[in-house]
Amino acid sequence: MSVRARNKRSREKEEKETVTVAEKPLIKVAAICGSLRKASFNRGLIRAAMELCKEQIKGVHVEYVEISALPMLNTDLEVDGTYPAEVEAFRQKVLEADSCLFASPDYNYSITPPLKNALDWGSRPPNVWAGKPAAAVSAVGGGRRAQLHLRQIGVFLDLHFINKPEFYLNAHRPPGKFNSNGDLLDSETKENLKEMLLSLQAFTLRHKASDELFLVTHKEEVME
């Protein structure tokens, strides 16, 4: 192969690698819905968040993490430090994420049982929630109470929720904002959701930068 051909192939390889790096999401968000209903408005908010990040917010990838298959928390299911396959898969998804997005209605002034169960499984040692930025959305007015309780739980789990903007939606108040499948249609609500996602993105990037600075500083102190 001639020098010119080798140089051309080298440039093409570098350009391909550059494109791959540029397209790689800067942050990965694990999205968890407290409602198991297929046409849930809260699940619709997560789908809308996924679409917004894919189409309008560069550098953010939202992945829906299913919790319906998780067994009820029972430490008898823990064997030699391992968990049931469904739990291990769930915990790994959370562990790999840079931040979390929770969507939950209000159940009796609190979060839903499936969401509490997921939080509890994730908190088993080692706690996969620890140190992660987070945001919460709710599709019904009572979600304010659910979010307040979620934030209280997050204190112990070491989850760091953004404070602004808050996102509450009264989906049952006309005009309708979702279709019969639970898909979000309202453009104003989408803009509000986008604003919240941008806030989560900025907070997550600041958090990651702070962690990286700490590691560098700690390494330098150890070397001295």
Side-chain angles (χ1 to χ4, degrees), residues 148-220:
L148 176 59
H149 196 186
L150 178 60
R151 288 172 178 271
Q152 291 175 331
I153 296 169
V155 172
F156 185 77
L157 298 184
D158 196 24
L159 279 165
H160 306 290
F161 283 89
I162 61 172
N163 292 319
K164 298 292 182 181
E166 296 178 321
F167 188 98
Y168 309 108
L169 178 66
N170 195 336
H172 299 294
R173 180 177 298 171
K177 296 174 176 59
F178 296 83
N179 62 20
S180 59
N181 294 321
D183 299 316
L184 180 62
L185 303 177
D186 185 65
S187 58
E188 182 179 355
T189 301
K190 288 184 179 181
E191 282 300 314
N192 293 337
L193 183 59
K194 180 181 177 180
E195 182 180 351
M196 190 276 300
L197 291 168
L198 288 171
S199 178
L200 177 61
Q201 179 187 33
F203 183 56
T204 303
L205 291 175
R206 290 198 302 271
H207 193 275
K208 289 183 68 175
S210 178
D211 284 347
E212 291 169 359
L213 178 60
F214 172 80
L215 291 174
V216 171
T217 304
H218 181 68
K219 183 178 180 180
E220 291 175 349

Side-chain angles (χ1 to χ4, degrees), residues 2-13:
S2 68
V3 173
R4 179 177 297 179
R6 284 199 300 269
N7 289 340
K8 180 180 180 181
R9 177 171 293 184
S10 177
R11 286 196 302 271
E12 290 174 347
K13 182 179 180 181

Side-chain angles (χ1 to χ4, degrees), residues 66-209:
E66 183 63 69
I67 63 174
S68 62
L70 295 177
M72 289 299 296
L73 182 69
N74 181 352
T75 54
D76 288 342
L77 299 177
E78 302 175 20
V79 181
D80 298 327
T82 63
Y83 303 96
E86 299 89 347
V87 176
E88 290 283 8
F90 166 76
R91 286 170 55 85
Q92 188 61 34
K93 290 284 188 183
V94 175
L95 191 62
E96 292 173 352
D98 298 301
S99 56
C100 300
L101 173 63
F102 297 95
S104 180
D106 173 306
Y107 276 24
N108 301 319
Y109 277 39
S110 183
I111 59 176
T112 66
L115 178 54
K116 182 60 166 64
N117 187 52
L119 290 167
D120 289 342
W121 272 122
S123 72
R124 297 297 296 161
N127 174 19
V128 298
W129 307 110
K132 293 189 183 297
V137 297
S138 299
V140 292
R144 292 180 174 86
R145 298 185 291 261
Q147 287 193 30
L148 176 59
H149 196 186
L150 178 60
R151 288 172 178 271
Q152 291 175 331
I153 296 169
V155 172
F156 185 77
L157 298 184
D158 196 24
L159 279 165
H160 306 290
F161 283 89
I162 61 172
N163 292 319
K164 298 292 182 181
E166 296 178 321
F167 188 98
Y168 309 108
L169 178 66
N170 195 336
H172 299 294
R173 180 177 298 171
K177 296 174 176 59
F178 296 83
N179 62 20
S180 59
N181 294 321
D183 299 316
L184 180 62
L185 303 177
D186 185 65
S187 58
E188 182 179 355
T189 301
K190 288 184 179 181
E191 282 300 314
N192 293 337
L193 183 59
K194 180 181 177 180
E195 182 180 351
M196 190 276 300
L197 291 168
L198 288 171
S199 178
L200 177 61
Q201 179 187 33
F203 183 56
T204 303
L205 291 175
R206 290 198 302 271
H207 193 275
K208 289 183 68 175

Side-chain angles (χ1 to χ4, degrees), residues 38-40 42-52 181-183:
K38 290 182 178 180
S40 161
N42 285 282
R43 187 174 294 199
L45 288 177
I46 289 180
R47 287 197 300 273
M50 295 169 67
E51 293 173 3
L52 284 168
N181 294 321
D183 299 316

Side-chain angles (χ1 to χ4, degrees), residues 12-27 58-60 208:
E12 290 174 347
K13 182 179 180 181
E14 290 176 357
E15 290 173 357
K16 184 177 180 180
E17 290 176 347
T18 301
V19 171
T20 301
V21 171
E23 291 177 350
K24 184 178 180 180
L26 294 177
I27 65 170
K58 294 182 179 180
V60 180
K208 289 183 68 175

